[in-house]
Amino acid sequence: DGERRRAGMFALALAALGLLGVEVILRLRRSAASERAANERLEQANKALFREKERERELGELKSRFVSMTSHEFRTPLSVVLSSAELLEAYGERWSPAKKSDHYARIKSAISGMTVLLDSILIIGRSEAGKLDFSPAPLDIARYARNLIETFQATVTEKHSLQVDISGEFEGAWADEKLLNHVLMNLLSNAVKYSPAGGAVGFQLRREGDAAVFVVTDEGIGIP
């Protein structure tokens, strides 16, 4: 009996040791799995951080290029204003009304161009600061587009032709006219600016389902 009890106790002890071993193995496995999961989360976080840094770097480069480009763009209208003002000051009394009017028109056009550039800078600044207002309201899209083209037509010289196609029903449309005007005027201005002499600039407004689609095309070098 004593030997059987000792054998039983020994067997129980072995079983306990076996269970303990199994528990230790399970804990080690769980620990290894948790470590792998933690490493994967860390790797994902590092990748996300890298992407964010790349995005910040690209935005920084974009800002630098934009500032450089805008500074260059300001030189031309400022030169026009300065030269016309100097000529009017020196020869205005001897010039005919038509010639003076021509130089006044040049000054007004140059100032208008600088105003557009300044608006672009302000809008980009507000957008990056998260303070760009978006205030959609009911808008007669077709009438808006015709007025926009009529205004823009006055700035297009005989070097380029403007082809307009406005078709479809747009009742019930909502849009932020100010932002829409900013976007489309920039697209149209660039289309004319970078199109070769004799090139055509296209402006199309059409309806696709519930969307009003604006399309601006040109025959220039294009952008990526």
Side-chain angles (χ1 to χ4, degrees):
D1 290 342
E3 289 183 2
R4 282 198 298 270
R5 282 197 299 272
R6 284 195 295 274
M9 292 176 63
F10 183 69
L12 288 172
L14 287 176
L17 287 173
L19 290 173
L20 181 61
V22 170
E23 184 179 355
V24 170
I25 291 173
L26 290 174
R27 285 182 179 177
L28 288 173
R29 287 179 178 173
R30 283 197 295 269
S31 177
S34 298
E35 186 176 353
R36 284 195 299 271
N39 288 335
E40 289 176 0
R41 289 195 296 270
L42 181 60
E43 185 177 356
Q44 291 173 0
N46 285 334
K47 288 180 179 178
L49 181 61
F50 177 78
R51 287 195 298 268
E52 187 63 26
K53 286 184 177 180
E54 280 294 299
R55 181 174 175 274
E56 289 180 3
R57 182 185 63 78
E58 291 173 359
L59 283 174
E61 291 179 356
L62 182 62
K63 288 179 187 176
S64 298
R65 289 198 299 269
F66 179 77
V67 170
S68 176
M69 179 190 72
T70 305
S71 300
H72 177 74
E73 293 289 335
F74 268 112
R75 290 193 183 98
T76 300
L78 284 172
S79 298
V80 170
V81 171
L82 180 61
S83 62
S84 291
E86 288 176 343
L87 289 170
L88 285 166
E89 183 180 26
Y91 306 106
E93 293 182 356
R94 287 176 279 170
W95 279 353
S96 66
K99 192 167 186 177
K100 286 191 288 186
S101 178
D102 180 54
H103 280 274
Y104 285 130
R106 290 181 184 180
I107 292 173
K108 289 178 181 178
S109 177
I111 292 174
S112 177
M114 287 190 290
T115 301
V116 171
L117 284 173
L118 284 173
D119 286 342
S120 298
I121 294 171
L122 291 173
I123 284 180
I124 288 175
R126 288 197 296 269
S127 177
E128 290 184 347
K131 297 180 179 179
L132 186 61
D133 292 329
F134 175 57
S135 304
L139 181 65
D140 186 336
I141 292 287
R143 182 179 180 184
Y144 160 78
R146 293 188 185 96
N147 290 338
L148 176 79
I149 290 301
E150 185 178 340
T151 301
F152 182 73
Q153 184 80 58
T155 68
V156 180
T157 66
E158 64 278 2
K159 294 180 180 180
H160 301 93
S161 61
L162 188 60
Q163 300 173 352
V164 181
D165 178 16
I166 300 174
S167 58
E169 298 294 330
F170 303 96
E171 292 183 3
W174 281 61
D176 186 320
E177 184 174 353
K178 184 177 180 180
L179 291 180
L180 191 61
N181 191 64
H182 174 76
V183 172
L184 293 175
M185 286 298 287
N186 270 280
L187 289 173
L188 287 165
S189 298
N190 284 332
V192 169
K193 180 178 179 180
Y194 294 106
S195 287
V201 173
F203 177 86
Q204 182 186 41
L205 169 61
R206 64 175 184 264
R207 179 166 182 163
E208 292 184 1
D210 292 334
V213 179
F214 292 88
V215 181
V216 177
T217 57
D218 62 65
E219 299 175 354
I221 59 175
I223 58 175

